[in-house]
Amino acid sequence: MIARTCLAVGMLVIGATSALAQSAAPNPVTVAPAFRQAIPNVPGKSLVAVVVSYAPGAKSAAHHHANSAFISAYVLSGAVRSQVDDEPAKVYRAGESWFEQPGAHHKISENASATEPAQLLAIFVVDTDEKVLTTPDQK
């Protein structure tokens, strides 16, 4: 039962976040579900984690996260350039992290290297019934 729920949630997360990757880009960004778990002592909230992998030079489209989502991003490997809301863009290297407030506007999310891949773990604290975690900006 848990495996089926994780698979269904994973497919939802991938579907909701795949629009972030540049569809025609030769260097894609991929998003893979890591886990989803209700927080037992915080009714109505869940932890959802995804691993975002950036090919060399890859970047995600600018996007907003769910209004209920508080996010911790942790760079697993490589270097990721990020800009959230009106903060300055910054490069984060493996072992470094940042946080995003609910409803944040993620203006830049890209691999800081044109030659090496990068990977980050994004952990969302989100309303359990939230279905769409990421919405690309409209052009």
Side-chain angles (χ1 to χ4, degrees):
M1 176 68 171
I2 290 175
R4 272 186 270 155
T5 301
C6 287
L7 178 61
V9 168
M11 297 303 281
L12 180 67
V13 169
I14 288 172
T17 56
S18 65
L20 291 177
Q22 294 180 338
S23 59
N27 299 317
V29 175
T30 60
V31 180
F35 64 82
R36 181 179 186 102
Q37 178 64 50
I39 304 172
N41 61 338
V42 185
K45 293 289 185 182
S46 290
L47 285 177
V48 178
V50 297
V51 175
V52 182
S53 299
Y54 300 85
K59 58 180 151 183
S60 299
H63 56 277
H64 283 83
H65 291 293
N67 287 331
S68 70
F70 175 72
I71 302 162
S72 173
Y74 178 83
V75 180
L76 298 168
S77 63
V80 175
R81 181 177 294 105
S82 179
Q83 181 184 17
V84 178
D85 292 327
D86 292 327
E87 296 293 321
K90 182 177 176 186
V91 174
Y92 297 89
R93 302 192 187 295
E96 296 181 322
S97 62
W98 71 91
F99 298 94
E100 299 180 31
Q101 298 301 313
H105 185 207
H106 204 154
K107 296 177 178 179
I108 298 173
S109 179
E110 63 189 16
N111 188 335
S113 172
T115 59
E116 298 294 326
Q119 199 171 52
L120 70 83
L121 175 67
I123 302 174
F124 295 70
V125 176
V126 65
D127 288 348
T128 298
D129 61 356
E130 191 76 63
K131 301 300 180 217
V132 178
L133 300 178
T134 305
T135 304
D137 288 2
Q138 295 192 13
K139 295 180 181 187

